[in-house]
Amino acid sequence: APSVALTLKSGSAVPVISSVVNAASFAAGVAPGSLATLFGVNLGGAGVLLNGAGVQSSYANDTQVNFYVPAETPVGSGVIAVNPPSGLQVSSKINLVSVQPGIFSGAVVHANTSVSALTTPVTAGEYIEIYCTGLGPTQTTPNGLSVTTVTPTVYLGATAVPALYSGLAPGFPGLYQVDVQIPAGLSSGILPLVITSGTAYSNEVKIAVQ
């Protein structure tokens, strides 16, 4: 009888894509130039492809992969795929939007420090730095900074505060930094903070005001 080669691939090794979201807010929809998170199962050791091209991942385990969405990625419908060591590649459609602000948890700090603006209250006149992602396209200034083409607005409670700086944090692809000065007249206590860019709103985080 002729010999037959048989290869068995375990079903448990098949990767599954559950969702692809903003890495900071976990909201649906990702923006070019931002950080995104892919949730699923059997993702250990998998590479991620967006529209057929490999992307840079910063963290991966069996259920989660964090990756950078290249700034040149076109908005609209896209295809995300994972390619695990088993070779059982799977894909899913995703929606890419121009902006999708998301603020990282615990990433609002007193300017030029790592001191949390939630655990250590801010006062009028102080500056804070907000670390986020999904603020959209940037342009390079003469001094080499990459600033957003649309300047976002920060809301502290119901008070709109203009951003003094909005752009990429130097050396960290996909990570944006927004700087604002705390205005006078805010109520003391814990206030919600939200970033808006155009008609898109971020998730809400908290800061303490004294």
Side-chain angles (χ1 to χ4, degrees), residues 53-65:
V55 295
Q56 174 187 349
S57 62
S58 57
Y59 173 81
N61 63 23
D62 197 50
T63 60
Q64 176 180 341
V65 180

Side-chain angles (χ1 to χ4, degrees), residues 101-130:
I103 305 171
F104 288 97
S105 176
V108 181
V109 297
H110 293 251
N112 301 315
T113 76
S114 59
V115 178
S116 168
L118 176 58
T119 57
T120 301
V122 299
T123 58
E126 276 194 85
Y127 295 87
I128 58 172
E129 298 168 353
I130 306 161

Side-chain angles (χ1 to χ4, degrees), residues 3-14:
S3 61
V4 176
L6 177 65
T7 301
L8 296 176
K9 295 183 177 179
S10 170
S12 62
V14 177

